Amino acid sequence: MNQEEKLPVIDCDVHNGFRSNHDLFPYLDDTWKSQALLRGGGLPLGGGLPYASPIGNKRKDANPPSGLPVGADPDYMIKQLIEPFNVEYAILCSDSMIAVSSFADADYAAAMCRAYNDYLIAEWLPKSPTFKGLLCIATQDPIQAAREIDRIAPHPDIVGVSIIGGSRMPYGQRFFHPIYEACQRNDMPLVIHPGAEGSGIFNPPTAVGYVSNYLEWHSCLPQTYMAHLVSFVCEGVFEKYPDFKVVLSEGGVTWLPPLLWRLDKNFKALRASTPWLKRLPSEYVRDHCFMTTQPIEEPDNPKHLKMMFEMFDAENMLLFSSDYPHWDFDDPTKILKQFPLETKRKILSENARALFKL
Amino acid sequence: MALYPVALEGEIPVGTNIVVEIEGRSIGVYNVNGEYFAIHNYCPHQGAEICKGPVCGTNMESEVYQFIYGRDQEIVRCPWHGWEFDLKTGKSLFSDKVRVRSYPMQIQDGQLFITVGK
Ligand code: FES
């Protein structure tokens, strides 16, 4: 093993799966248990995404020998991801859970999140000292969401708050501010992860409506992030909550520099629309936002990726993520080959260590 | 160039494969409708063990809004990111230049051999 392969990894996007669709039942009170049963007898976790990957969304070599579903066996996760890739911490994010924000019923969604958070703490986090968790909130009712952050965030193995990219409105708007206030109060970064854009009560997944298939849907996900990011900055979220940090997970990275050029340019002329901004928009992004690496863009000429990284503060803003056990998993020993050791060290672990206080 | 015996004909039924170790290299041997093909068990993308991927068919090149399924059992799909490779040539279906390494095979008296090296 050379020195590079030994670099420690903090994997900022690992998906813990459910063993069965009854996993949350012990954590739901009777009102919501009966609701969950009525809605299909299990864990109805999304508002029905109208897209499906033709190759499935899981890696085909990740079935645990225990017979449990992919991602649902912590021991196998340790064997297949944690040990071979030198993962110091795996940050667990339930991509199926965050889709609850696409339900119309805010109270149902909030109840499911409470159950999930208790389940995460009881059944996953004690399994390995490498496991750290993102608590999950539903965005329909930001006041309840803030209460849930206050309830769960003090747990020592909870390191952030997760929500989905799909939404009824841009995330910078004041409707959501109680969530950000609670994140700041509890010193928790907000991690936005894609997954159900366009389902349930969410707006369509692109600005022009519903694209036809998963290939288009997945490729257009950065659109959603662009709109949220511009909204966060322009609505003054980072002025109002100066310690608040946002992670844009799994949405690509190379779209960022040109968006910020455009935003900065416009701001110079249109500053009076957002007089509360005291610095250029790009400076807020640099200080408050992070992006996870996977799925990293793969230009034919690898040098072009390096050039893109030079166009923003990539070395300090990127957090490595593998997306295990999903189909677009990135291998930490493969994706950053063209970068110097120090850059790699920061992206693979040091940036996440500082952000999540690990 | 060296010939390595890997199996007897009949030991790899149609539609199945085995994985063997030759000169420290993991190689998959596939029976595609009665013909044998060998590929390196290493995806040219990020190095996944490609032989853990499903053998399948695919939608072939077609006119707009036409779907024609074909080449059943001739494609191996990488278990990680789903790239498709032609088992007969090793070529990926999106570019002739991207390919998984393939090895010529020979059959002598019912014994299957892989040729490794030039
Ligand atoms: S490693 Fe095979 S497609 Fe990515």
Side-chain angles (χ1 to χ4, degrees), chain B residues 4-7 12 17-29 38-41 51 103 105 112 114 116:
Chain B
Y4 292 88
V6 287
I12 311 174
N17 70 288
I18 59 168
V19 176
V20 295
E21 196 79 21
I22 291 174
E23 289 184 356
R25 228 173 291 178
S26 176
I27 294 176
V29 184
I39 59 168
H40 191 188
N41 186 12
C51 299
Y103 302 91
M105 299 213 50
L112 302 174
I114 295 184
V116 175

PDB file of all heavy atoms in Angstrom, chain B residues 4-7 12 17-29 38-41 51 103 105 112 114 116:
ATOM      1  N   TYR B   4      -3.413 -21.281 -20.773  1.00  0.00           N
ATOM      2  CA  TYR B   4      -3.765 -21.805 -19.438  1.00  0.00           C
ATOM      3  C   TYR B   4      -5.066 -22.583 -19.518  1.00  0.00           C
ATOM      4  O   TYR B   4      -6.072 -22.060 -19.988  1.00  0.00           O
ATOM      5  CB  TYR B   4      -3.940 -20.654 -18.440  1.00  0.00           C
ATOM      6  CG  TYR B   4      -2.654 -19.944 -18.139  1.00  0.00           C
ATOM      7  CD1 TYR B   4      -2.220 -18.877 -18.934  1.00  0.00           C
ATOM      8  CD2 TYR B   4      -1.879 -20.335 -17.055  1.00  0.00           C
ATOM      9  CE1 TYR B   4      -1.036 -18.224 -18.657  1.00  0.00           C
ATOM     10  CE2 TYR B   4      -0.678 -19.687 -16.775  1.00  0.00           C
ATOM     11  CZ  TYR B   4      -0.263 -18.628 -17.574  1.00  0.00           C
ATOM     12  OH  TYR B   4       0.903 -17.994 -17.304  1.00  0.00           O
ATOM     13  N   PRO B   5      -5.060 -23.812 -19.059  1.00  0.00           N
ATOM     14  CA  PRO B   5      -6.320 -24.565 -19.024  1.00  0.00           C
ATOM     15  C   PRO B   5      -7.202 -23.982 -17.923  1.00  0.00           C
ATOM     16  O   PRO B   5      -6.723 -23.695 -16.826  1.00  0.00           O
ATOM     17  CB  PRO B   5      -5.880 -25.990 -18.665  1.00  0.00           C
ATOM     18  CG  PRO B   5      -4.560 -25.832 -17.985  1.00  0.00           C
ATOM     19  CD  PRO B   5      -3.931 -24.569 -18.493  1.00  0.00           C
ATOM     20  N   VAL B   6      -8.473 -23.775 -18.217  1.00  0.00           N
ATOM     21  CA  VAL B   6      -9.336 -23.187 -17.198  1.00  0.00           C
ATOM     22  C   VAL B   6     -10.523 -24.064 -16.815  1.00  0.00           C
ATOM     23  O   VAL B   6     -11.016 -23.973 -15.696  1.00  0.00           O
ATOM     24  CB  VAL B   6      -9.854 -21.796 -17.615  1.00  0.00           C
ATOM     25  CG1 VAL B   6      -8.750 -20.768 -17.543  1.00  0.00           C
ATOM     26  CG2 VAL B   6     -10.469 -21.808 -18.997  1.00  0.00           C
ATOM     27  N   ALA B   7     -10.992 -24.867 -17.726  1.00  0.00           N
ATOM     28  CA  ALA B   7     -12.153 -25.699 -17.409  1.00  0.00           C
ATOM     29  C   ALA B   7     -12.357 -26.680 -18.546  1.00  0.00           C
ATOM     30  O   ALA B   7     -11.745 -26.547 -19.612  1.00  0.00           O
ATOM     31  CB  ALA B   7     -13.407 -24.841 -17.259  1.00  0.00           C
ATOM     32  N   ILE B  12     -18.962 -25.123 -17.806  1.00  0.00           N
ATOM     33  CA  ILE B  12     -19.549 -23.781 -17.744  1.00  0.00           C
ATOM     34  C   ILE B  12     -20.805 -23.794 -18.624  1.00  0.00           C
ATOM     35  O   ILE B  12     -20.727 -23.565 -19.829  1.00  0.00           O
ATOM     36  CB  ILE B  12     -18.560 -22.704 -18.274  1.00  0.00           C
ATOM     37  CG1 ILE B  12     -17.178 -22.867 -17.627  1.00  0.00           C
ATOM     38  CG2 ILE B  12     -19.103 -21.300 -18.028  1.00  0.00           C
ATOM     39  CD1 ILE B  12     -16.111 -21.940 -18.201  1.00  0.00           C
ATOM     40  N   ASN B  17     -20.847 -18.273 -15.898  1.00  0.00           N
ATOM     41  CA  ASN B  17     -19.427 -17.966 -16.017  1.00  0.00           C
ATOM     42  C   ASN B  17     -18.687 -18.484 -14.794  1.00  0.00           C
ATOM     43  O   ASN B  17     -19.303 -18.809 -13.780  1.00  0.00           O
ATOM     44  CB  ASN B  17     -19.205 -16.462 -16.148  1.00  0.00           C
ATOM     45  CG  ASN B  17     -19.496 -15.719 -14.860  1.00  0.00           C
ATOM     46  OD1 ASN B  17     -20.655 -15.576 -14.451  1.00  0.00           O
ATOM     47  ND2 ASN B  17     -18.455 -15.259 -14.187  1.00  0.00           N
ATOM     48  N   ILE B  18     -17.384 -18.578 -14.935  1.00  0.00           N
ATOM     49  CA  ILE B  18     -16.542 -18.854 -13.772  1.00  0.00           C
ATOM     50  C   ILE B  18     -15.504 -17.736 -13.702  1.00  0.00           C
ATOM     51  O   ILE B  18     -15.307 -16.986 -14.666  1.00  0.00           O
ATOM     52  CB  ILE B  18     -15.814 -20.217 -13.875  1.00  0.00           C
ATOM     53  CG1 ILE B  18     -14.927 -20.253 -15.144  1.00  0.00           C
ATOM     54  CG2 ILE B  18     -16.807 -21.371 -13.877  1.00  0.00           C
ATOM     55  CD1 ILE B  18     -13.966 -21.436 -15.178  1.00  0.00           C
ATOM     56  N   VAL B  19     -14.866 -17.624 -12.534  1.00  0.00           N
ATOM     57  CA  VAL B  19     -13.785 -16.650 -12.391  1.00  0.00           C
ATOM     58  C   VAL B  19     -12.543 -17.417 -11.982  1.00  0.00           C
ATOM     59  O   VAL B  19     -12.591 -18.217 -11.053  1.00  0.00           O
ATOM     60  CB  VAL B  19     -14.146 -15.579 -11.333  1.00  0.00           C
ATOM     61  CG1 VAL B  19     -12.970 -14.626 -11.120  1.00  0.00           C
ATOM     62  CG2 VAL B  19     -15.385 -14.795 -11.771  1.00  0.00           C
ATOM     63  N   VAL B  20     -11.464 -17.212 -12.738  1.00  0.00           N
ATOM     64  CA  VAL B  20     -10.220 -17.932 -12.429  1.00  0.00           C
ATOM     65  C   VAL B  20      -9.093 -16.931 -12.176  1.00  0.00           C
ATOM     66  O   VAL B  20      -9.186 -15.762 -12.543  1.00  0.00           O
ATOM     67  CB  VAL B  20      -9.805 -18.868 -13.595  1.00  0.00           C
ATOM     68  CG1 VAL B  20     -10.832 -19.970 -13.795  1.00  0.00           C
ATOM     69  CG2 VAL B  20      -9.617 -18.074 -14.882  1.00  0.00           C
ATOM     70  N   GLU B  21      -8.063 -17.412 -11.546  1.00  0.00           N
ATOM     71  CA  GLU B  21      -6.907 -16.585 -11.230  1.00  0.00           C
ATOM     72  C   GLU B  21      -5.760 -17.046 -12.131  1.00  0.00           C
ATOM     73  O   GLU B  21      -5.383 -18.217 -12.088  1.00  0.00           O
ATOM     74  CB  GLU B  21      -6.570 -16.810  -9.756  1.00  0.00           C
ATOM     75  CG  GLU B  21      -5.658 -15.814  -9.115  1.00  0.00           C
ATOM     76  CD  GLU B  21      -6.370 -14.515  -8.733  1.00  0.00           C
ATOM     77  OE1 GLU B  21      -7.613 -14.499  -8.596  1.00  0.00           O
ATOM     78  OE2 GLU B  21      -5.660 -13.519  -8.589  1.00  0.00           O
ATOM     79  N   ILE B  22      -5.236 -16.145 -12.974  1.00  0.00           N
ATOM     80  CA  ILE B  22      -4.135 -16.538 -13.849  1.00  0.00           C
ATOM     81  C   ILE B  22      -3.052 -15.471 -13.795  1.00  0.00           C
ATOM     82  O   ILE B  22      -3.338 -14.294 -14.035  1.00  0.00           O
ATOM     83  CB  ILE B  22      -4.621 -16.708 -15.301  1.00  0.00           C
ATOM     84  CG1 ILE B  22      -5.531 -17.930 -15.392  1.00  0.00           C
ATOM     85  CG2 ILE B  22      -3.438 -16.865 -16.257  1.00  0.00           C
ATOM     86  CD1 ILE B  22      -6.182 -18.101 -16.733  1.00  0.00           C
ATOM     87  N   GLU B  23      -1.850 -15.871 -13.484  1.00  0.00           N
ATOM     88  CA  GLU B  23      -0.736 -14.918 -13.335  1.00  0.00           C
ATOM     89  C   GLU B  23      -1.157 -13.744 -12.457  1.00  0.00           C
ATOM     90  O   GLU B  23      -0.919 -12.580 -12.776  1.00  0.00           O
ATOM     91  CB  GLU B  23      -0.292 -14.399 -14.712  1.00  0.00           C
ATOM     92  CG  GLU B  23       0.422 -15.447 -15.537  1.00  0.00           C
ATOM     93  CD  GLU B  23       0.953 -14.886 -16.857  1.00  0.00           C
ATOM     94  OE1 GLU B  23       0.697 -13.710 -17.145  1.00  0.00           O
ATOM     95  OE2 GLU B  23       1.615 -15.650 -17.563  1.00  0.00           O
ATOM     96  N   GLY B  24      -1.821 -14.030 -11.376  1.00  0.00           N
ATOM     97  CA  GLY B  24      -2.219 -12.984 -10.438  1.00  0.00           C
ATOM     98  C   GLY B  24      -3.372 -12.123 -10.919  1.00  0.00           C
ATOM     99  O   GLY B  24      -3.703 -11.124 -10.305  1.00  0.00           O
ATOM    100  N   ARG B  25      -3.965 -12.498 -12.039  1.00  0.00           N
ATOM    101  CA  ARG B  25      -5.039 -11.697 -12.609  1.00  0.00           C
ATOM    102  C   ARG B  25      -6.350 -12.458 -12.490  1.00  0.00           C
ATOM    103  O   ARG B  25      -6.390 -13.663 -12.778  1.00  0.00           O
ATOM    104  CB  ARG B  25      -4.737 -11.494 -14.101  1.00  0.00           C
ATOM    105  CG  ARG B  25      -4.866 -10.067 -14.537  1.00  0.00           C
ATOM    106  CD  ARG B  25      -4.401  -9.929 -15.956  1.00  0.00           C
ATOM    107  NE  ARG B  25      -2.948 -10.124 -16.098  1.00  0.00           N
ATOM    108  CZ  ARG B  25      -2.341 -10.084 -17.280  1.00  0.00           C
ATOM    109  NH1 ARG B  25      -3.021  -9.892 -18.389  1.00  0.00           N
ATOM    110  NH2 ARG B  25      -1.041 -10.252 -17.353  1.00  0.00           N
ATOM    111  N   SER B  26      -7.388 -11.762 -12.091  1.00  0.00           N
ATOM    112  CA  SER B  26      -8.693 -12.403 -11.997  1.00  0.00           C
ATOM    113  C   SER B  26      -9.380 -12.277 -13.360  1.00  0.00           C
ATOM    114  O   SER B  26      -9.492 -11.191 -13.913  1.00  0.00           O
ATOM    115  CB  SER B  26      -9.501 -11.713 -10.905  1.00  0.00           C
ATOM    116  OG  SER B  26     -10.792 -12.243 -10.848  1.00  0.00           O
ATOM    117  N   ILE B  27      -9.782 -13.428 -13.894  1.00  0.00           N
ATOM    118  CA  ILE B  27     -10.356 -13.446 -15.248  1.00  0.00           C
ATOM    119  C   ILE B  27     -11.678 -14.205 -15.229  1.00  0.00           C
ATOM    120  O   ILE B  27     -11.773 -15.273 -14.623  1.00  0.00           O
ATOM    121  CB  ILE B  27      -9.363 -14.096 -16.245  1.00  0.00           C
ATOM    122  CG1 ILE B  27      -8.116 -13.206 -16.377  1.00  0.00           C
ATOM    123  CG2 ILE B  27     -10.008 -14.324 -17.620  1.00  0.00           C
ATOM    124  CD1 ILE B  27      -7.018 -13.767 -17.262  1.00  0.00           C
ATOM    125  N   GLY B  28     -12.679 -13.640 -15.872  1.00  0.00           N
ATOM    126  CA  GLY B  28     -13.977 -14.301 -15.960  1.00  0.00           C
ATOM    127  C   GLY B  28     -14.107 -15.017 -17.295  1.00  0.00           C
ATOM    128  O   GLY B  28     -13.737 -14.469 -18.336  1.00  0.00           O
ATOM    129  N   VAL B  29     -14.597 -16.244 -17.250  1.00  0.00           N
ATOM    130  CA  VAL B  29     -14.820 -16.993 -18.486  1.00  0.00           C
ATOM    131  C   VAL B  29     -16.318 -17.227 -18.633  1.00  0.00           C
ATOM    132  O   VAL B  29     -16.951 -17.793 -17.737  1.00  0.00           O
ATOM    133  CB  VAL B  29     -14.079 -18.350 -18.450  1.00  0.00           C
ATOM    134  CG1 VAL B  29     -14.245 -19.077 -19.795  1.00  0.00           C
ATOM    135  CG2 VAL B  29     -12.602 -18.138 -18.135  1.00  0.00           C
ATOM    136  N   ALA B  38     -13.398 -14.688 -22.567  1.00  0.00           N
ATOM    137  CA  ALA B  38     -12.729 -14.401 -21.289  1.00  0.00           C
ATOM    138  C   ALA B  38     -12.473 -12.901 -21.168  1.00  0.00           C
ATOM    139  O   ALA B  38     -12.001 -12.268 -22.117  1.00  0.00           O
ATOM    140  CB  ALA B  38     -11.409 -15.163 -21.217  1.00  0.00           C
ATOM    141  N   ILE B  39     -12.787 -12.348 -20.019  1.00  0.00           N
ATOM    142  CA  ILE B  39     -12.501 -10.919 -19.776  1.00  0.00           C
ATOM    143  C   ILE B  39     -11.820 -10.729 -18.429  1.00  0.00           C
ATOM    144  O   ILE B  39     -12.028 -11.505 -17.489  1.00  0.00           O
ATOM    145  CB  ILE B  39     -13.784 -10.039 -19.808  1.00  0.00           C
ATOM    146  CG1 ILE B  39     -14.799 -10.517 -18.754  1.00  0.00           C
ATOM    147  CG2 ILE B  39     -14.400 -10.007 -21.194  1.00  0.00           C
ATOM    148  CD1 ILE B  39     -15.936  -9.540 -18.529  1.00  0.00           C
ATOM    149  N   HIS B  40     -11.035  -9.672 -18.366  1.00  0.00           N
ATOM    150  CA  HIS B  40     -10.392  -9.296 -17.108  1.00  0.00           C
ATOM    151  C   HIS B  40     -11.480  -8.856 -16.127  1.00  0.00           C
ATOM    152  O   HIS B  40     -12.357  -8.076 -16.483  1.00  0.00           O
ATOM    153  CB  HIS B  40      -9.431  -8.130 -17.385  1.00  0.00           C
ATOM    154  CG  HIS B  40      -8.509  -7.820 -16.245  1.00  0.00           C
ATOM    155  ND1 HIS B  40      -7.705  -6.710 -16.264  1.00  0.00           N
ATOM    156  CD2 HIS B  40      -8.257  -8.462 -15.078  1.00  0.00           C
ATOM    157  CE1 HIS B  40      -6.982  -6.684 -15.137  1.00  0.00           C
ATOM    158  NE2 HIS B  40      -7.304  -7.737 -14.406  1.00  0.00           N
ATOM    159  N   ASN B  41     -11.381  -9.356 -14.909  1.00  0.00           N
ATOM    160  CA  ASN B  41     -12.403  -9.055 -13.905  1.00  0.00           C
ATOM    161  C   ASN B  41     -12.105  -7.704 -13.261  1.00  0.00           C
ATOM    162  O   ASN B  41     -11.949  -7.588 -12.046  1.00  0.00           O
ATOM    163  CB  ASN B  41     -12.397 -10.170 -12.854  1.00  0.00           C
ATOM    164  CG  ASN B  41     -13.517 -10.031 -11.849  1.00  0.00           C
ATOM    165  OD1 ASN B  41     -14.436  -9.247 -12.042  1.00  0.00           O
ATOM    166  ND2 ASN B  41     -13.423 -10.788 -10.762  1.00  0.00           N
ATOM    167  N   CYS B  51     -17.069  -9.053 -13.027  1.00  0.00           N
ATOM    168  CA  CYS B  51     -17.738 -10.358 -13.115  1.00  0.00           C
ATOM    169  C   CYS B  51     -18.800 -10.545 -12.035  1.00  0.00           C
ATOM    170  O   CYS B  51     -19.528 -11.533 -12.042  1.00  0.00           O
ATOM    171  CB  CYS B  51     -16.719 -11.488 -13.085  1.00  0.00           C
ATOM    172  SG  CYS B  51     -15.574 -11.386 -14.469  1.00  0.00           S
ATOM    173  N   TYR B 103      -9.468 -11.786 -23.439  1.00  0.00           N
ATOM    174  CA  TYR B 103      -8.412 -12.746 -23.728  1.00  0.00           C
ATOM    175  C   TYR B 103      -8.937 -13.787 -24.702  1.00  0.00           C
ATOM    176  O   TYR B 103     -10.047 -14.297 -24.522  1.00  0.00           O
ATOM    177  CB  TYR B 103      -7.964 -13.452 -22.439  1.00  0.00           C
ATOM    178  CG  TYR B 103      -7.462 -12.502 -21.388  1.00  0.00           C
ATOM    179  CD1 TYR B 103      -8.347 -11.974 -20.455  1.00  0.00           C
ATOM    180  CD2 TYR B 103      -6.136 -12.094 -21.354  1.00  0.00           C
ATOM    181  CE1 TYR B 103      -7.907 -11.073 -19.497  1.00  0.00           C
ATOM    182  CE2 TYR B 103      -5.683 -11.190 -20.404  1.00  0.00           C
ATOM    183  CZ  TYR B 103      -6.574 -10.684 -19.475  1.00  0.00           C
ATOM    184  OH  TYR B 103      -6.142  -9.794 -18.542  1.00  0.00           O
ATOM    185  N   MET B 105      -9.624 -17.307 -26.471  1.00  0.00           N
ATOM    186  CA  MET B 105      -9.799 -18.645 -25.908  1.00  0.00           C
ATOM    187  C   MET B 105      -9.607 -19.697 -26.987  1.00  0.00           C
ATOM    188  O   MET B 105      -9.829 -19.439 -28.168  1.00  0.00           O
ATOM    189  CB  MET B 105     -11.204 -18.778 -25.324  1.00  0.00           C
ATOM    190  CG  MET B 105     -11.430 -17.786 -24.215  1.00  0.00           C
ATOM    191  SD  MET B 105     -12.500 -18.405 -22.928  1.00  0.00           S
ATOM    192  CE  MET B 105     -11.818 -19.986 -22.533  1.00  0.00           C
ATOM    193  N   LEU B 112     -10.855 -26.160 -22.243  1.00  0.00           N
ATOM    194  CA  LEU B 112     -10.841 -24.724 -22.568  1.00  0.00           C
ATOM    195  C   LEU B 112      -9.539 -24.105 -22.083  1.00  0.00           C
ATOM    196  O   LEU B 112      -9.135 -24.318 -20.945  1.00  0.00           O
ATOM    197  CB  LEU B 112     -11.997 -24.001 -21.872  1.00  0.00           C
ATOM    198  CG  LEU B 112     -13.414 -24.491 -22.164  1.00  0.00           C
ATOM    199  CD1 LEU B 112     -14.414 -23.752 -21.288  1.00  0.00           C
ATOM    200  CD2 LEU B 112     -13.731 -24.240 -23.634  1.00  0.00           C
ATOM    201  N   ILE B 114      -7.183 -20.349 -21.934  1.00  0.00           N
ATOM    202  CA  ILE B 114      -7.113 -18.890 -22.124  1.00  0.00           C
ATOM    203  C   ILE B 114      -5.697 -18.565 -22.581  1.00  0.00           C
ATOM    204  O   ILE B 114      -4.731 -19.133 -22.065  1.00  0.00           O
ATOM    205  CB  ILE B 114      -7.377 -18.131 -20.812  1.00  0.00           C
ATOM    206  CG1 ILE B 114      -8.807 -18.360 -20.334  1.00  0.00           C
ATOM    207  CG2 ILE B 114      -7.124 -16.641 -20.986  1.00  0.00           C
ATOM    208  CD1 ILE B 114      -9.125 -17.555 -19.095  1.00  0.00           C
ATOM    209  N   VAL B 116      -2.856 -15.855 -22.524  1.00  0.00           N
ATOM    210  CA  VAL B 116      -2.456 -14.627 -21.836  1.00  0.00           C
ATOM    211  C   VAL B 116      -1.090 -14.216 -22.355  1.00  0.00           C
ATOM    212  O   VAL B 116      -0.209 -15.045 -22.523  1.00  0.00           O
ATOM    213  CB  VAL B 116      -2.404 -14.844 -20.303  1.00  0.00           C
ATOM    214  CG1 VAL B 116      -1.866 -13.604 -19.597  1.00  0.00           C
ATOM    215  CG2 VAL B 116      -3.796 -15.192 -19.773  1.00  0.00           C
TER     216      VAL B 116
END
